[in-house]
Amino acid sequence: MTARLHTTSDGPAGAPVLLLGSSLGTAGAMWEPQVAALAARFRVIRYDHLGHGRSAVPPGPYSLDLLGRELLRTLDGLGVPWVHYAGLSLGGMVGMWLAAHAPDRVRRLALLCTSASLGPPEQWRERAATVRAAGLPAIADAVVARWFTPGFAVARPDVVAAFRAMLTATSPAGYAACCEAIAAMDLRPALGRIGAPTLVIAGADDAATPVGHARDIAGRIPGARLAVVGEAAHLANVGQPERVCRLLLDHFDERPRER
């Protein structure tokens, strides 16, 4: 079966694999601020969700189960038996599903600016209907305003414009189908099954998935650790690239430390 998810690989072929999942409305390029540093230590594989970037756009609606199983098929096709996984927003939701339903495939887990249950469902179904009827430009300004703090938007209008373009280039059908997956999602009952060492990262100024969602996830995953990044909104890895990169490197680094 032909792979339906587009992937990009950076770093040494023989290094441990770090798989990166991006947010709703973005593609693997979202992780560009971290790739160089992470690829110095890992084989970094970025993937686009179904309906996003250069991945296939099968008819919706989608579910977290579909998105997760598609990712497992992609890993099988790449010959990758296990990964470290970091995912932001929708990428984090898929990461939780993966670690709970295929625990042998996830060695260590990082969940950024995400939620295990992000209601109300009607809000997501209404957004899906709007996008199908009027396209991504109809919601782009409201969505991008939650991705970055006002200070970052003023300081880096070029970055904000690039991410708005990434959002509006997304397939409306694929975006809407992923909205429906979020509407139907409740991962909370599965979180206690996650055995991978887990870091949960929240943006202090994230209005899309506020810090309380991260606290809830960290409280349900045995042994999980919570880190709150100041002056960061929903795309915390873009708003605070160095801080987030250091958190990820420290969490995924399995090398013995000098005492």
Side-chain angles (χ1 to χ4, degrees):
M1 178 178 175
T2 303
R4 298 199 293 182
L5 298 186
H6 173 74
T7 61
T8 302
S9 182
D10 297 275
V17 173
L18 174 55
L19 184 63
L20 301 178
S22 50
S23 74
L24 178 70
T26 72
M30 185 202 83
W31 290 101
E32 212 48 60
Q34 284 77 42
V35 167
L38 295 176
R41 196 169 299 173
F42 303 100
R43 177 188 172 195
V44 177
I45 298 177
R46 291 174 281 169
Y47 75 94
D48 299 341
H49 298 291
L50 281 183
H52 284 64
R54 295 169 63 184
S55 289
V57 189
Y62 303 165
S63 66
L64 259 294
D65 185 79
L66 171 66
L67 297 178
R69 293 189 185 283
E70 199 68 46
L71 185 53
L72 285 174
R73 281 192 287 271
T74 299
L75 292 177
D76 290 342
L78 293 172
V80 176
W82 63 266
V83 300
H84 298 312
Y85 185 97
L88 188 148
S89 185
L90 179 58
M93 297 168 192
V94 174
M96 285 182 273
W97 184 97
L98 195 68
H101 291 85
D104 58 317
R105 308 299 293 269
V106 180
R107 182 73 56 88
R108 298 180 75 88
L109 178 67
L111 306 169
L112 296 81
C113 302
T114 191
S115 176
S117 179
L118 193 58
E122 296 77 17
Q123 165 189 303
W124 292 100
R125 296 188 184 108
E126 288 171 7
R127 189 189 294 195
T130 298
V131 168
R132 285 195 174 101
L136 270 302
I139 66 164
D141 290 341
V143 168
V144 174
R146 292 192 291 271
W147 283 357
F148 307 104
T149 63
F152 184 92
V154 170
R156 296 301 308 271
D158 56 324
V159 174
V160 175
F163 273 85
R164 190 184 191 281
M166 192 187 306
L167 172 64
T168 56
T170 304
S171 159
Y175 185 96
C178 284
C179 285
E180 290 161 341
I182 296 172
M185 173 195 72
D186 187 355
L187 293 165
R188 290 172 295 183
L191 296 185
R193 303 203 302 267
I194 294 177
T198 300
L199 171 66
V200 184
I201 299 175
D205 304 303
D206 184 1
T209 52
V211 175
H213 290 260
R215 288 200 182 99
D216 182 65
I217 292 169
R220 292 173 185 270
I221 298 176
R225 184 168 65 92
L226 173 64
V228 180
V229 178
E231 299 180 18
H234 192 52
L235 297 191
N237 75 302
V238 181
Q240 295 293 342
E242 292 84 8
R243 292 188 208 172
V244 169
C245 194
R246 175 46 54 195
L247 285 168
L248 294 177
L249 285 169
D250 287 348
H251 179 63
F252 291 119
D253 188 358
E254 295 182 307
R255 297 177 302 178
R257 289 176 168 80
E258 295 183 4
R259 295 185 182 275

